[in-house]
């Protein structure tokens, strides 16, 4: 959160100070001119500027959410580049204007006093409104880059409060700040931050399909840089530098930073040789913002009576009318824009489904995010799918729509063909007539998977498990023989070898039935704990080997383990293995690893939690190998991400593997522990779509 707050803090401080200085000059000039009665006009303009800025932020936020995913990326990328342009222009303008700002504003105030109330309101509105719009745009792009709004809003709020305090101090002459140096230093920092925003915006445009090169990476450090580390979070939050960047991002970042920073530094250096001495020049801005020279006061009294005609109507205008109007009008306009920009829901269209007919009342929808009200008019519970009739790819689905019930199905619709497919509990699938939707490229859909599609991966995985069990039988017998002979040192090494083999078969846990508890059960929940007779298997032997138990005490558990493994090998070919379990296990193996091995909960003294984690990673990799043909046609980019995640976690685990030993989990440094946990968590997150992508659907 706080890493994302700094850029917004800086923009809030700078823009707030700019706007605050302008307001200070306006107020000071009116006070010196004896026109305090005109101060409400200044505050009305300021209030209107704030209302406009907040309304602009609301429009950006709510209109973006109504767009499709690619359109959101393109919209966000475009506004990021616009924000960079505004910030760049603001940095250069303020560098040149800091010294003459007070004089320019005083001239405008003098003219406004001579013209009337409307001009003074407009002067303050335009002066503050520009800063407010720039702030709203920059905050929106920063929050979007951070994927959260708390940090950016908090940073901006702190910056604005600090700017208000500084402006009050300048106005009251209790502070003295070299504004030229302040705006120069913050300008240089903002240029660096803007370079990161530009890179992020270019990446958004690539992901939105506006710019090419989305897969041409110039930098890919995802396998060696911990994305969850403090330094990675800091760089990404403040500078928008990520472990993976495309060539376009790198060229845009470096080009902008090189050109703009060079021009900025040159512009800072030039005035030092041509302007008046530095000390008077830099000392005057705060005084100009707080005390108007006598010339303004002597020039304005003759016009001080001119505003009187504005208050002469027969029916005086209520004092609250204009302030309320300047807030209500921008809010009303923003609401209209948001309402018109949002796609009209199709909730009024009810689509009827039954075992005899499917999709009654279905007409071609408008492109965009649509809500269909699905009503089951039949006598059977049905699965309902919105599909591409040519490929059977699924855009949306409802499971278990009971007779007589109505539920909403939300899907994004673009150019292409659409139809409904209804699959009753007892009956054949029924497909509606297809409709054609005009528009842009089709929305990405999930190609359904059938039990037949998973048959080959299931056979391959069962063969892998059978081979692993055959190896495990021999390894547990070797472990038994070590203990019988009293060779406990050899037994410890052979125990780890056998246990890693078993851990690498993790996806088959669901079919091992009672054998898993016998072979690798934990003492948790047993009445006697580690001394309970029901505590058997690998962890029972581990506890004995690393807690000084004799070979005689371990002979029985070792023999039982060998017998249970042999029994499992014999029973496994005849056990049922649900094909739908394969995609689920891809996520569940490492979920258990993060919960048990990496917390030390399963460690009975050997300190080999990382070795077991490594074996579980091998099992996950093997499982993805048999599922790869199905994933290649559905999510090829996901596979490359998963491969990089696995390589990264493997590298971190290897760094804690020293010869035949592994660093115990409890002895990991805090940095190493955080990296391993973070890499495992990232892999888990990236694995989470696999069950949905490969879910067996009746629409197939």
């Amino acid at each position: 959160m706080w890493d994302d707050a700094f850029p917004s803090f800086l923009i809030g401080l700078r823009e707030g100070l700019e706007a605050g200085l302008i307001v200070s000059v306006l107020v000071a000039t009116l006070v010196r001119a004896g026109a305090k009665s005109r101060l409400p006009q200044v505050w009305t303009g300021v209030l209107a500027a704030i209302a406009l800025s907040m309304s602009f932020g609301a429009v950006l936020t709510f209109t973006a959410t109504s767009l499709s995913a690619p359109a959101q990326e393109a919209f966000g990328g475009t506004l990021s580049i616009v924000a960079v342009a505004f910030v760049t222009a603001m940095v250069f303008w303020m560098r040149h204007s800091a010294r003459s700002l007070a004089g320019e504003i005083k001239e405008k105030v003098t003219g406004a006093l001579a013209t009337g109330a409307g001009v003074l309101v407009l002067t303050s509105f335009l002066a503050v409104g520009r800063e407010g719009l720039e702030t709203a745009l920059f905050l929106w792009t920063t929050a979007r880059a951070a994927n959260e709004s708390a940090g950016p809003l908090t940073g901006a709020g702190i910056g604005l409060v600090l700017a208000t305090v500084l402006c009050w101090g300048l106005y009251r002459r209790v502070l003295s700040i070299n504004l030229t140096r302040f705006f120069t230093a913050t300008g240089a920092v903002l240029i660096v931050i803007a370079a990161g925003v530009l890179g992020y915006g270019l990446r958004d445009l690539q992901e939105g399909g506006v710019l090419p090169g989305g897969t041409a990476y110039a930098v890919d450090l995802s396998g060696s840089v911990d994305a969850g580390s403090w330094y990675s979070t800091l760089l990404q939050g403040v500078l928008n530098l990520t472990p993976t960047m495309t060539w376009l991002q790198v060229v845009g970042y470096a080009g902008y930073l090189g050109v703009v920073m060079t021009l900025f530094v040159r512009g800072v250096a030039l005035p030092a040789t041509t302007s008046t001495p530095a000390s008077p020049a830099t000392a005057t801005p705060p005084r100009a913002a707080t005390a108007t020279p006598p010339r303004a006061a002597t020039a304005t009294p003759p016009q001080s009576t001119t505003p009187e005609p504005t208050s002469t109507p027969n029916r005086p205008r209520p004092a609250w009318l204009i302030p309320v109007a300047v807030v209500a009008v921008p809010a009303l306009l923003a609401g209209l824009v948001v309402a018109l920009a949002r796609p009209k829901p199709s909730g009024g269209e009810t689509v009827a489904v039954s075992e005899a007919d499917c999709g009654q009342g279905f007409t071609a929808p408008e492109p965009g995010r649509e809500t269909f009200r699905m009503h089951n008019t039949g006598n059977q519970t049905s699965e309902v799918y919105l599909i591409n009739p040519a490929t059977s790819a699924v855009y949306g689905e409802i499971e278990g729509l009971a007779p007589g019930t109505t539920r909403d199905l939300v899907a994004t619709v673009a150019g292409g063909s659409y139809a409904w497919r209804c699959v009753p509990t007892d009956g054949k699938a029924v497909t509606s007539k297809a409709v054609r939707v005009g528009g842009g490229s089709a929305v990405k859909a999930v190609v359904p998977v059938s039990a037949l599609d998973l048959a080959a991966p299931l056979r391959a995985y069962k063969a892998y498990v059978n081979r692993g069990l055959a190896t495990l039988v021999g390894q547990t017998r070797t472990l038994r023989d070590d203990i019988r002979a009293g060779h406990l040192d050899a037994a410890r090494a052979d125990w780890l070898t056998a246990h890693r083999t078993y851990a690498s078969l993790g996806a088959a846990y669901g079919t091992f039935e009672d054998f898993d508890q016998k072979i690798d059960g934990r003492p948790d929940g047993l009445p006697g704990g580690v001394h309970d007779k029901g505590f058997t298997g690998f962890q029972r032997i581990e506890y004995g080997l690393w807690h000084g138990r004799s070979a005689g005490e371990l002979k029985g558990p070792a023999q039982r383990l060998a017998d249970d493994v042999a029994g499992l090998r014999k029973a496994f070919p005849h056990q049922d293995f649900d094909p739908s379990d394969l995609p689920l296990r891809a996520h569940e193996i490492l979920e258990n690893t993060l919960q048990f091995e990496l917390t030390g909960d399963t460690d009975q003294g050997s300190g080999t939690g990382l070795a077991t984690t490594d074996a579980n990673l091998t099992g996950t990799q093997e499982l993805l190998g048999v599922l790869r043909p199905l994933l290649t046609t559905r999510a090829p980019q996901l596979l490359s991400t998963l491969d990089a995640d696995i390589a990264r976690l493997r590298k971190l685990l290897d760094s804690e593997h020293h010869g035949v030993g592994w660093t115990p989990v409890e002895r990991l440094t805090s940095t190493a522990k955080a990296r391993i946990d973070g890499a495992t968590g990232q892999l888990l997150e990236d694995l989470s779509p696999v069950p949905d992508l490969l879910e067996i659907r009746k629409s197939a």
Side-chain angles (χ1 to χ4, degrees):
M1 171 180 169
W2 296 113
D3 304 299
D4 300 317
F6 178 73
S8 299
F9 164 77
L10 188 61
I11 200 73
L13 177 61
R14 256 194 77 108
E15 298 278 16
L17 191 55
E18 286 183 33
L21 287 173
I22 294 171
V23 173
S24 297
V25 173
L26 288 169
V27 172
T29 304
L30 290 174
V31 171
R32 292 281 180 175
K36 287 186 178 181
S37 61
R38 306 291 293 275
L39 288 178
Q41 297 165 14
V42 173
W43 298 121
T44 299
V46 171
L47 186 62
I50 294 173
L52 179 65
S53 303
M54 296 181 68
S55 299
F56 178 58
V59 168
L60 292 178
T61 301
F62 292 109
T63 55
T65 58
S66 66
L67 301 174
S68 64
Q72 285 189 38
E73 299 294 343
F75 182 68
T78 301
L79 288 184
S80 294
I81 293 175
V82 172
V84 170
F86 276 139
V87 169
T88 306
M90 174 264 292
V91 166
F92 281 92
W93 177 81
M94 199 59 191
R95 190 200 67 203
H96 290 294
S97 303
R99 291 173 178 157
S100 59
L101 180 66
E104 293 177 2
I105 296 299
K106 284 189 293 181
E107 290 179 7
K108 292 181 180 179
V109 174
T110 301
L113 285 171
T115 306
V119 176
L120 189 56
V121 171
L122 183 62
T123 300
S124 58
F125 170 76
L126 293 177
V128 179
R130 185 191 64 180
E131 321 302 336
L133 292 175
E134 289 177 355
T135 303
L137 180 57
F138 193 88
L139 279 179
W140 186 84
T141 56
T142 304
R144 190 172 185 278
N147 287 321
E148 58 102 10
S149 57
L153 289 178
T154 301
I158 295 173
L160 290 171
V161 170
L162 181 57
T164 303
V165 172
L166 291 176
C167 288
W168 179 86
L170 291 171
Y171 179 78
R172 304 298 298 179
R173 290 193 173 190
V174 297
L175 287 177
S176 178
I177 298 176
N178 188 321
L179 294 178
T180 302
R181 291 183 181 178
F182 172 82
F183 286 117
T184 299
T186 56
V189 177
L190 273 178
I191 289 173
V192 177
I193 292 174
V197 175
L198 175 63
Y200 176 82
L202 292 174
R203 180 58 178 162
D204 272 355
L205 290 175
Q206 288 179 315
E207 292 179 348
V210 177
L211 295 177
T215 58
Y217 292 104
V219 179
D220 188 357
L221 303 177
S222 57
S224 56
V225 174
D226 181 11
S229 62
W230 66 268
Y231 56 85
S232 181
T233 304
L234 182 65
L235 287 175
Q236 186 165 347
V238 176
L239 304 179
N240 270 308
L241 292 176
T242 58
T244 57
M245 296 183 70
T246 64
W247 279 106
L248 182 60
Q249 283 182 280
V250 172
V251 171
Y253 183 95
Y256 171 88
L257 192 59
V259 172
V260 176
M261 188 64 79
T262 300
L263 294 175
F264 184 78
V265 172
R266 281 184 179 179
V268 170
L270 287 176
T273 60
T274 60
S275 64
T276 56
S279 55
T282 56
T284 52
R287 292 192 177 95
T290 58
T292 307
R295 289 195 302 272
T298 57
T300 54
Q303 290 86 13
S304 61
T305 58
T306 57
E308 293 303 323
T310 61
S311 59
T312 57
N314 294 332
R315 288 181 292 180
R317 184 169 47 236
W320 52 265
L321 181 61
I322 293 180
V324 169
V326 299
V327 173
V329 170
L332 179 60
L333 292 176
L336 290 174
V337 171
V338 171
L340 293 175
R342 287 180 174 271
K344 296 179 180 179
S346 59
E349 179 181 295
T350 299
V351 180
V353 302
S354 70
E355 58 271 21
D357 197 359
C358 185
Q360 297 178 36
F362 179 49
T363 58
E366 294 293 327
R369 193 166 179 81
E370 298 286 340
T371 301
F372 302 95
R373 295 184 60 79
M374 310 305 300
H375 179 63
N376 190 342
T377 59
N379 299 317
Q380 294 187 31
T381 298
S382 293
E383 312 289 317
V384 183
Y385 303 91
L386 179 63
I387 65 168
N388 180 329
T391 63
S392 293
V394 177
Y395 297 102
E397 63 184 291
I398 292 179
E399 297 181 355
L401 183 63
T405 60
T406 302
R407 285 162 60 187
D408 288 345
L409 187 151
V410 181
T412 300
V413 176
S417 295
Y418 295 84
W420 292 102
R421 181 164 293 168
C422 306
V423 186
T425 302
D426 297 315
K428 295 182 179 180
V430 181
T431 304
S432 73
K433 182 180 178 180
V435 300
R436 183 77 187 175
V437 176
S441 58
V443 178
K444 186 177 180 181
V446 177
V447 179
V449 172
S450 66
L452 183 62
D453 294 328
L454 284 171
L458 179 57
R459 285 194 299 271
Y461 195 77
K462 289 183 73 173
Y464 164 76
V465 173
N466 272 318
R467 292 193 300 271
L469 289 175
T471 301
L472 185 62
V473 167
Q475 291 172 341
T476 53
R477 287 175 179 172
T478 299
L479 173 61
R480 177 200 61 191
D481 294 342
D482 290 339
I483 292 176
R484 282 180 176 177
H487 300 153
L488 298 186
D489 288 338
R492 293 185 185 93
D494 290 334
W495 174 89
L496 181 57
T497 300
H499 190 245
R500 280 170 53 82
T501 298
Y502 184 78
S504 68
L505 309 178
Y509 285 176
T511 62
F512 286 173
E513 298 175 350
D514 293 340
F515 283 102
D516 183 50
Q517 181 61 33
K518 297 175 183 178
I519 293 172
D520 202 33
R522 297 189 297 274
D524 305 344
L526 296 176
V530 295
H531 306 292
D532 196 277
K533 292 182 179 181
F535 182 36
T536 61
F538 279 111
Q539 293 194 37
R540 169 68 180 86
I541 297 174
E542 177 189 5
Y543 180 83
L545 287 173
W546 275 272
H547 284 82
R549 298 297 186 265
S550 65
E553 292 177 277
L554 295 175
K555 285 181 181 179
Q559 180 62 56
R560 182 170 178 180
L561 173 62
D563 292 342
D564 288 337
V565 169
L568 174 59
R569 184 194 177 193
K570 182 178 180 180
F572 179 72
H574 308 290
Q575 293 177 340
D576 292 330
F577 200 122
D578 188 343
S580 63
D581 280 349
L582 279 178
L584 290 172
R585 293 294 181 267
H587 186 271
E588 290 177 352
I589 298 173
L590 289 181
E591 192 174 53
N592 288 339
T593 301
L594 190 62
Q595 182 179 359
F596 298 113
E597 270 71 37
L598 292 180
T599 58
D601 284 356
T602 57
D603 184 17
Q604 302 299 329
S606 67
T608 57
L610 294 185
T612 305
T613 299
D614 184 71
N616 285 333
L617 185 61
T618 298
T620 300
Q621 199 167 8
E622 182 68 29
L623 182 57
L624 287 175
V626 301
L627 295 174
R628 186 171 290 268
L630 295 176
L631 289 171
T632 299
T633 58
R634 290 165 174 81
Q637 292 182 345
L638 177 61
L639 279 174
S640 61
T641 299
L642 293 175
D643 289 340
D645 288 346
I646 290 173
R648 176 186 171 204
L649 179 54
R650 180 82 69 189
K651 184 176 181 180
L652 291 172
L653 293 172
D654 287 344
S655 67
E656 303 298 334
H657 185 196
H658 313 289
V660 296
W662 295 75
T663 304
V665 171
E666 67 272 12
R667 295 183 188 174
L668 289 170
T669 65
S670 58
T671 301
K673 181 68 165 59
R675 286 179 176 176
I676 292 174
D677 288 348
T680 306
Q682 184 63 54
L683 177 54
L684 272 172
E685 182 178 342
D686 292 334
L687 281 168
S688 60
V690 172
D692 288 334
L693 287 170
L694 302 184
E695 179 186 355
I696 295 177
R697 289 179 167 87
K698 294 180 181 180
S699 65

